[in-house]
Amino acid sequence: MNLVELDRISKAYDTKIAVHELSLAIEAGKMFGLLGPNGAGKTSTIRMMIGMTLPDSGTVTLFGQPFTRKSLYRVGYLPEERGLYKKMKVLDQLVLLGQLHGLKATQAEDRARRWCERLEIAGSLDKKTEELSKGMQQKIQFIAAILHDPELLIMDEPFSGLDPVNAAMLQDVLVELKNKGKAVLFSTHRMDQVEKLCDSICLVHQGDAVLTGTVREIKSRYPKNRLRVRYEGDAAFLSHPSIAEARQSNGTAEIRLRDGADPQQVLAAAMAKARVTYFDVMEPTLEEIFIETVGGKANA
Amino acid sequence: MRNVWLIARREYLERIHTKAFLVSLVGFPLIMAAVILGPMVLAKSSGHEKHIVVVASDLALARPIAQELEAPVNNDPNVEAAERPKFYVTMEEPAPELKEHLTRDVQQKSLDGFLWLDHADGILRADYYSNSSEDFELADVLETAVQHAQASEQLLAGGMPASQVQSLFNAHVEMRKVEGGKDVGGISTFGSSMFLIMMLYIAILVQGVAVGNSVVEEKTSRIFEIMLATVTPQEMMSGKLLGVGAIGLTQVALWMLCGVLLAAPGLLGARAAGQYAFHLSPLHAMAFAVCFILGFLFYSALSAMLGSLVNSTQELQQLNMFMGMPLAFSIVLSQQVISNPSSTLSILLSMLPPCAPILMYLRISVLTPPLWQIALSLALMLAGVWGVVWLASRIYRVGVLMYGKRPTLPELMRWLRYS
């Protein structure tokens, strides 16, 4: 079931078009990556998704019905720009945000305590936000977003500024929630994270959705034209006519093939002159696809 | 509605625990107490007798002046007893170099001053020489004494018995105020009215500015990003106005309590009926609360709007100056309204929503304006508040998510039309 459906939504601020006829759908139990460089229209899209702004045209459907503010009780949002009340105690803050999402005060307090323990920040419950480190504040805000057990989680750059240990901790929670059937929208410009975590993506560039689909399907659309070869001996095979470009160091070569070339021929040529210890036909990374897609657009 | 309540409660609880609230709570009454008690304490501590010399060629004129200065004949016993300086008077007849001699004494402070009386062409000229030319209270006292002396001299010369002459000067006019058909007391309302409108002015301004500041703070701390994921900008603004407004009411209520305690007999017994006596009937307290609430809503909505437009408190401060101008203007004009509360100007000003909270309240406190005027002023204030809140909420909801440069006027006009 689709928890979110955006149908050709557009938004313009004065003369600048922030989002242009963007459509996407997010399923329950999946992690969805909203990708794009800074200023591509990711945040504008998210703001329309949760009714912070209204689209100039197009429709937003949440949980199978047209957008109503009641639906927001079922959405958790971690904004890119982090912000908490500085003078407020962490626990009070979490309880308030829980209440604003429809929880009872006692319920919110209970869950806040449990999550803080799980994320190893129980010690700061009675501190004021301004006394906490940035990473801790981020965890607090992460908890605020998931406190009311939302079905749809919107995470805008959730790991930025976190050390690897803490980033992994939050990532585990997100995967766990996804496996429980929540939908996670993951907005970022870090392609490597998306590649690991997301099932589907939407690539946004200058307000347009330039690529949508599952990660698998998108990758299969692009030819597997990159090889990694480790070898001992003569490197003369690197001048094979199928090879468009090759870089080598320490007996490892990264090769880009010409369009339509067969990797097997390169392998045969290599084996003829050298001893091949490793041969891999690599999938394009999202980053490469991104650069190719966006670069192509820019040139067109 | 639940969200508005939650936000208002947060705002209230956070503020009531701040040092700023405590300081203003204690500070304002302390300043007021200093204003009220200060002169009394000063009068008492500088309570040495003023030694002055009355110089007149005619001792028959100088003697009654000296007598009256040393022992006042009449006037309000409450005020005079506490306030009037005591005198020790000596009399001299004009002599060569006497003026130079006395002037030197005044300079060396062995003498507080001297009153030089001179008859020229049947007109009495009186000059008082001292180290200060600005002691108006003393000028009053001297003037009365001279007038009385002059009049009694003539009357005695005309054959009126001395006792009768004395009784002539015992007339005293007491200012009493009628409210709701009742005589509510013989006090001067000037002091308490000024006190109350200053309190109104400070409360509206302080709390109004507080709203703007907290909007800027929320904007710079990016708290809006997370809050607006679940509440509407309107809910945030209403919650804030309610919460801060409640703080203002709490503060004013506590101030009033202090005022009432200060004016209570025993503590300020001597001054209880004096110029600064704190007089507040339940009706006035209600008018005060209504004027505070409407004035607060008007200015704090404006302030919230300005807060949403800027990116730092410094920028806001510049705008606040303009915002506070109608309020300051009202205070400047308050003297005029007090002395002439029913003039066309006073009536007009008390109808203007930006000035009405202060000036209408002032008119209500010095006289009872016709009911239709109160009703019209209230209606206009409500309309003004509605208009400002409408405008502010439309600007606010766009402004809080806009960072960077301050919008231009045409941009603001477009914001109004955004859905």
Side-chain angles (χ1 to χ4, degrees):
Chain A
M1 183 196 138
N2 286 339
L3 293 191
V4 182
E5 274 173 45
L6 302 183
D7 186 22
R8 283 165 291 152
I9 56 168
S10 297
K11 181 85 188 174
Y13 292 104
D14 292 333
T15 53
K16 188 181 175 294
I17 294 170
V19 178
H20 179 241
E21 303 220 327
L22 186 138
S23 301
L24 60 81
I26 304 173
E27 286 175 65
K30 298 281 191 216
M31 218 177 262
F32 186 97
L34 188 60
L35 299 178
N38 299 326
K42 296 184 304 263
T43 303
S44 296
T45 304
I46 290 174
R47 283 185 179 169
M48 285 188 271
M49 200 182 291
I50 58 175
M52 243 194 237
T53 53
L54 293 178
D56 298 336
S57 65
T59 53
V60 177
T61 311
L62 279 188
F63 310 109
Q65 26 178 311
F67 178 83
T68 61
R69 297 204 66 84
K70 267 278 170 239
S71 315
L72 291 178
Y73 281 3
R74 299 157 75 183
V75 179
Y77 176 42
L78 177 74
E80 182 183 8
E81 298 274 10
R82 316 280 192 257
L84 291 166
Y85 285 109
K86 289 191 207 116
K87 306 268 176 210
M88 219 174 165
K89 284 191 182 146
V90 169
L91 183 63
D92 294 343
Q93 192 132 230
L94 287 173
V95 169
L96 172 73
L97 289 167
Q99 284 180 299
L100 288 174
H101 281 100
L103 294 182
K104 288 198 178 67
T106 48
Q107 208 179 5
E109 183 175 340
D110 213 43
R111 291 190 193 184
R113 285 187 192 283
R114 261 188 293 136
W115 274 114
C116 283
E117 254 159 57
R118 160 94 193 260
L119 295 184
E120 301 168 7
I121 42 170
S124 42
L125 273 168
D126 286 321
K127 288 194 184 143
K128 285 183 184 170
T129 311
E130 60 185 356
E131 296 167 34
L132 302 183
S133 74
K134 233 181 157 192
M136 283 164 117
Q137 290 189 26
Q138 188 155 339
K139 283 188 188 174
I140 302 293
Q141 204 153 1
F142 181 82
I143 293 174
I146 58 175
L147 198 66
H148 52 292
D149 198 24
E151 290 153 69
L152 171 65
L153 274 159
I154 299 173
M155 301 273 137
D156 205 344
E157 300 287 1
F159 310 131
S160 73
L162 282 182
D163 63 61
V165 177
N166 282 311
M169 197 187 284
L170 297 199
Q171 189 177 315
D172 288 347
V173 172
L174 285 180
V175 170
E176 187 185 306
L177 290 171
K178 179 192 89 164
N179 291 337
K180 280 187 185 160
K182 320 286 183 199
V184 181
L185 171 72
F186 189 6
S187 165
T188 184
H189 61 269
R190 296 278 309 274
M191 309 293 165
D192 51 331
Q193 291 174 347
V194 176
E195 195 146 10
K196 270 189 298 181
L197 293 167
C198 292
D199 304 288
S200 309
I201 61 160
C202 173
L203 179 60
V204 191
H205 181 61
Q206 293 178 351
D208 278 307
V210 289
L211 269 181
T212 32
T214 65
V215 173
R216 197 103 308 281
E217 185 236 334
I218 286 174
K219 283 194 170 184
S220 71
R221 273 192 240 160
Y222 287 80
K224 293 185 175 183
N225 62 353
R226 284 171 59 255
L227 307 177
R228 179 175 287 149
V229 184
R230 221 170 285 153
Y231 60 93
E232 290 159 11
D234 191 354
F237 71 94
L238 289 177
S239 53
H240 190 276
S242 311
I243 295 177
E245 196 186 337
R247 270 178 300 174
Q248 56 165 332
S249 60
N250 292 333
T252 303
E254 301 235 357
I255 296 166
R256 189 163 62 79
L257 297 177
R258 290 190 197 285
D259 288 347
D262 184 1
Q264 296 297 323
Q265 290 181 357
V266 177
L267 178 60
M271 286 170 70
K273 295 280 171 86
R275 184 177 172 72
V276 176
T277 58
Y278 178 91
F279 185 85
D280 185 19
V281 183
M282 293 192 297
E283 280 189 323
T285 63
L286 279 180
E287 191 154 353
E288 284 160 343
I289 293 177
F290 173 73
I291 291 169
E292 193 180 322
T293 314
V294 169
K297 288 258 165 187
N299 294 337
Chain B
M1 225 27 236
R2 181 168 179 261
N3 291 348
V4 174
W5 161 246
L6 285 168
I7 292 164
R9 200 188 55 173
R10 191 207 82 81
E11 204 69 51
Y12 187 86
L13 290 178
E14 181 170 289
R15 263 155 217 288
I16 205 140
H17 287 124
T18 56
K19 285 194 193 78
F21 180 76
L22 267 179
V23 167
S24 76
L25 197 59
V26 177
F28 183 74
L30 275 184
I31 292 171
M32 275 334 216
V35 168
I36 296 170
L37 295 170
M40 274 175 71
V41 175
L42 279 179
K44 268 187 191 146
S45 66
S46 67
H48 77 279
E49 289 179 329
K50 273 188 191 299
H51 182 198
I52 69 173
V53 176
V54 177
V55 186
S57 50
D58 179 9
L59 276 186
L61 181 64
R63 195 167 296 113
I65 293 179
Q67 271 169 5
E68 172 147 353
L69 286 178
E70 284 180 335
V73 210
N74 63 352
N75 284 336
D76 184 347
N78 287 318
V79 179
E80 293 297 314
E83 212 157 84
R84 196 177 184 281
K86 289 195 170 44
F87 292 101
Y88 165 63
V89 186
T90 46
M91 291 169 281
E92 302 260 7
E93 280 184 67
E97 291 191 25
L98 177 63
K99 205 170 203 166
E100 289 72 21
H101 185 72
L102 288 174
T103 306
R104 204 164 42 249
D105 283 353
V106 168
Q107 235 165 27
Q108 289 164 354
K109 306 217 164 136
S110 59
L111 189 66
D112 288 296
F114 61 95
L115 184 65
W116 194 279
L117 299 168
D118 220 354
H119 270 291
D121 307 329
I123 295 169
L124 180 70
R125 182 186 161 82
D127 292 303
Y128 181 69
Y129 298 84
S130 75
N131 283 315
S132 155
S133 62
E134 284 157 24
D135 193 339
F136 298 112
E137 205 174 347
L138 185 62
D140 249 9
V141 172
L142 291 173
E143 209 168 276
T144 314
V146 172
Q147 277 169 3
H148 284 180
Q150 229 182 337
S152 59
E153 188 187 28
Q154 303 257 328
L155 289 170
L156 286 170
M160 189 185 264
S163 61
Q164 218 172 330
V165 172
Q166 275 298 308
S167 69
L168 268 182
F169 301 129
N170 281 338
H172 170 62
V173 177
E174 192 179 350
M175 306 303 286
R176 301 184 78 81
K177 188 188 169 204
V178 173
E179 184 183 296
K182 278 177 293 185
D183 177 349
V184 294
I187 50 162
S188 139
T189 45
F190 177 78
S192 69
S193 295
M194 276 316 280
F195 177 80
L196 284 167
I197 66 161
M198 281 313 286
M199 203 151 93
L200 199 55
Y201 169 70
I202 292 172
I204 290 176
L205 201 62
V206 165
Q207 301 304 340
V209 166
V211 167
N213 279 337
S214 87
V215 171
V216 173
E217 198 185 304
E218 285 178 5
K219 200 176 158 180
T220 48
S221 71
R222 303 292 198 257
I223 193 82
F224 278 115
E225 307 267 343
I226 192 167
M227 294 297 277
L228 292 186
T230 167
V231 296
T232 61
Q234 283 83 354
E235 285 171 330
M236 276 210 78
M237 196 173 110
S238 331
K240 188 171 287 294
L241 294 195
L242 279 183
V244 179
I247 279 287
L249 277 180
T250 309
Q251 198 166 40
V252 163
L254 289 170
W255 284 350
M256 286 204 179
L257 195 69
C258 288
V260 169
L261 288 179
L262 272 178
L267 193 59
L268 266 182
R271 295 294 292 253
Q275 203 173 4
Y276 294 101
F278 195 89
H279 159 68
L280 194 71
S281 68
L283 200 74
H284 275 179
M286 223 172 69
F288 188 91
V290 168
C291 285
F292 169 74
I293 290 171
L294 290 175
F296 165 77
L297 285 176
F298 188 92
Y299 283 98
S300 60
L302 265 184
S303 179
M305 179 175 92
L306 295 180
S308 74
L309 291 180
V310 300
N311 295 296
S312 67
T313 34
Q314 287 89 328
E315 274 180 88
L316 181 65
Q317 271 159 12
Q318 299 166 0
L319 295 178
N320 274 342
M321 242 168 51
F322 292 104
M323 188 190 80
M325 262 149 94
L327 278 179
F329 180 68
S330 308
I331 292 295
V332 170
L333 284 172
S334 61
Q335 298 284 356
Q336 224 145 348
V337 174
I338 284 188
S339 52
N340 218 340
S342 304
S343 70
T344 317
L345 181 73
S346 297
I347 293 173
L348 271 179
L349 285 172
S350 69
M351 295 294 157
L352 282 178
C355 305
I358 286 184
L359 294 181
M360 193 63 197
Y361 176 72
L362 185 60
R363 289 187 65 218
I364 291 177
S365 78
V366 289
L367 87 171
T368 312
L371 202 61
W372 70 266
Q373 285 181 8
I374 300 183
L376 182 61
S377 171
L378 268 182
L380 287 173
M381 268 195 263
L382 279 172
V385 165
W386 185 87
V388 167
V389 168
W390 179 86
L391 184 76
S393 71
R394 287 186 85 82
I395 294 289
Y396 178 89
R397 81 215 151 106
V398 184
V400 291
L401 288 173
M402 295 277 179
Y403 309 113
K405 83 167 187 48
R406 211 190 286 172
T408 61
L409 209 58
E411 276 172 329
L412 280 183
M413 297 311 285
R414 274 201 294 278
W415 288 13
L416 286 181
R417 292 197 300 268
Y418 281 160
S419 47

